[in-house]
Amino acid sequence: MSIPFLVPHTGLLALFGLVPLLCMERIATMLEKKRIWTYHYTAFVLWNTFTTFWVCNATIGGGIFAILANSLQMSLIFGLFRLSKRKFNGSLPYMFLMVTWIAWERFYFDAEISWPWLVLGNSFARTTWAIQWYEFTGSLGGSLWIWACNLSIFGLLVSLSDGRLSGWNIKAKAASVTGLIILFAAPLISSGVIGSGYKDSMESDEKLDVLIIQPNIDPYSKFQAMTQAQQNGILLSQAEKALEYRKADSTAAPLLVLAPETFTNDITCGDYQRSRTWKGFTSFLKDYPGVNLLFGASSYDYISASDAPSYTAREVGKGLWVESHNSALMIDGSAKTEIFHKSKLVVAVEHTPYPAVFCKIDDLLGGVMGRCVGQPEISLLHAGQVPVGCAVCYESVFGEYYTDYVRKGARAMAIITNDAWWGDTPGYRQHLRYASLRAIETRRAIARCANTGISAIISPSGKITERTPWWEPAVIESQIPLRDDITFYVSHGDITGRICTFIFILLLLALIVRFRAS
């Protein structure tokens, strides 16, 4: 199950990657083994470790917690499935396992403490030719396909091992094999048909010129090794060199320049004049009409109050409190400024969950957890007259949330991130490929800017058409198509997750009734 997340073009392995686990459970049950939970919990720990060990590069404690806690939740689902076998017969416990797992994945997308990195449907992030139908189902449709294939193979193996298969007539055998082939092949064929319509998806009557700047600043030493002014100088020198051809050209088409997440930390919300970075950038842009700069920033709201205005506010002086944000700003040479605050925040690093409880604990620990505050709902930024959605880092992992940008009217998407915290590990490559899933689900091209790589242009079919190397300063000059069409997934949301959640609730109630009646 780890291989599809680590090796390109191996997503189809997930279609039978869970079969050994199901076989283990059946054999252990038949042999009346005790403490079977140690088997499946160990399996989930290994899967999480092999796939997401790189989190420990940013935070050892957080990485270990993420691996163990996520594995525990998977194991609890598997334990609930084993419990259901006491009251459900035949294939019903396995259906219960499938819908419970997918309902959990959907819940994880909205939970206060959330780590949906290993959603099963993400297995195809590096095999996008096989899942062009995600524009209808989203990534949870992939989860459903994976479970359906694994359970079908397992069912066939059980019939074979029990000797029941030999008792089937030729029609039953043919129907079984045909059904299995259709289950595997139909999504692949439909993906090929749908994908053929997006071979030229970068072609469009309307396009937006983009300039992606990858400054390659080490985040672990950016505030020790150089000043913010020096960092600004690196970015502006890259921009000046790339924009030399359009200096003072008032007839040039609008152009969007992208800089990475949290590039600066000197932004005061509503009082941008206090920021040297903001003043330097707007002054630079005066010489480049039609150029808009989108960059990431740690931004702050200062509030005067005798008591704390919120659980997340920190006191910085007598009667003065501050709330922090991870923000994206869009500016131009006229000093017009738009700001968006990241809402899907990384637990502990950026966000204190259940702040009414944990902020008090954090205060006792000396304030070690992040307390960023996000927006209650998505808003768009504008490159001239073009509405652009900007997902900040972790937000690009949340499929249904991401569709809100398009529902708000985004004609193209940007992603700004800083993946260098993880080092040269599979983490930044996985994060890049998850953007391909979002492109397919929404059919919006993406301009992705990463501080140290990989920055990229991603087509509406999920194909990476241009990319930078890892850990090198780089610039991409390109165009992305502007689109207005709305996919089924954008329009209707995560129907797969909602249906599976509904079935899970019904089966859970039935299970409870059967236990109470016995």
Side-chain angles (χ1 to χ4, degrees), residues 208-211 239-257 284-292 477-479:
L208 176 64
D209 294 334
V210 293
L211 175 68
E240 185 174 25
K241 184 176 180 180
L243 294 173
E244 184 177 2
Y245 72 97
R246 48 179 302 154
K247 191 168 187 178
D249 184 357
S250 59
T251 63
L255 182 143
L256 174 63
V257 179
F284 171 82
L285 292 172
K286 288 179 181 178
D287 292 331
Y288 302 93
V291 174
N292 296 264
E477 297 181 66
S478 190
Q479 293 181 318

Side-chain angles (χ1 to χ4, degrees), residues 28 39 48 129 150 152 156 162 187 208 225 232 240 285 294 297 312 342 361 433 454 459 479 490 514:
Y39 292 91
N48 278 264
W129 60 267
N150 276 275
S152 296
L156 199 59
D162 288 352
L208 176 64
N232 295 349
E240 185 174 25
L285 292 172
L294 196 166
T312 53
K342 177 183 179 182
I361 297 174
R433 291 296 180 168
I454 296 173
S459 76
Q479 293 181 318
V490 170
R514 292 192 180 187

